[in-house]
Amino acid sequence: MPFADFELWKYLASIVDIALVWYVIYKLINVIRGTKAVQLLKGILVILLVRVVSEFLGFQTLSWMMEQAITYGFLAIIIIFQPELRRALEQLGRGKFFSRSSNPDEENPEKTVEAIIKATDYMAKRRIGALISIERETGMGDYIETGIQLNSNISSELLINIFIPNTPLHDGAVIIQRNNVAAAACYLPLSESPFISKELGTRHRAALGISEVTDSVTIIVSEETGHISLTKNGELHRAIKSEQLKELLTSELFTNLKTKQASSARWNWRGKNNG
């Protein structure tokens, strides 16, 4: 092989190598994006930043502490990111790791809001207990796996039928992901807050619990009173009317969609023709 051709081959191989590394990093970011791992990753970046600053300013003790945290943090990272690593390996095994990510433009929050309002209004009048949690930025894959996966188009009729008493799926929570009913009969973590009213039952505690560990929006229909409540960011909005519920859901879901579209636009700034 001529020397010039060999140099050209090395140059092309380097370009392909860099492109593949960037693509793998991009797919890994998509795996952890929208999960609790994002907050943990931010914490790791803060530690690295403190390490650099302390070294620059000559803070020897702080620099040594950060050095130890980085040195022994590799094992901790494997433990902390275990769910995300497992999910990435599962996607790789199913061939989904290299598939295209979902397009936020295809999401239809209007349909989701309409279906939830219609279903909760029906169940509230008949005092049918219900628990519906809507995934936002923080992923809820771990909780989806505790239930029966459906991956169905959302409709008020489906939600009502799920929560009809004495049916196989009525006990537990429905999780809505990307405006689809991802799973039913899911287990949500119960809040351990001592400030929760004693008159509230397991559904309200589960709704508060999931709102404390994720940014999800969760709707509760009480089978004792027929009241509709909503939780978000660790806050409970009790006995709200259908109009209030619609305003809250519209505000939360449309804000979330705009955030996703902005994020998608940043990743696809070259335009669709290049994708």
Side-chain angles (χ1 to χ4, degrees), residues 89-153:
L89 291 174
E90 288 176 350
Q91 291 183 7
L92 182 62
R94 291 194 296 262
K96 294 183 178 181
F97 188 79
F98 297 100
S99 61
R100 294 186 62 182
S101 301
S102 60
N103 186 359
D105 295 334
E106 297 175 356
E107 297 189 1
N108 185 10
E110 298 98 330
K111 181 180 179 182
T112 299
V113 172
E114 181 182 352
I116 291 175
I117 295 298
K118 186 175 179 181
T120 52
D121 193 44
Y122 178 95
M123 291 185 287
K125 291 178 180 178
R126 292 159 179 80
R127 297 191 178 185
I128 298 173
L131 183 61
I132 304 170
S133 190
I134 306 171
E135 180 188 88
R136 299 181 70 215
E137 286 298 308
T138 304
M140 300 180 67
D142 293 341
Y143 305 107
I144 290 173
E145 291 176 0
T146 65
I148 306 300
Q149 296 192 28
L150 301 177
N151 297 318
S152 305
N153 294 330

Side-chain angles (χ1 to χ4, degrees), residues 5 60 64 70 83 88 93 97 103 105 156 159 169 195 203 253:
D5 292 342
Q60 295 183 2
W64 178 84
I70 295 171
F97 188 79
N103 186 359
D105 295 334
S156 58
L159 293 175
L169 300 179
F195 304 106
R203 284 193 181 91
L253 297 186

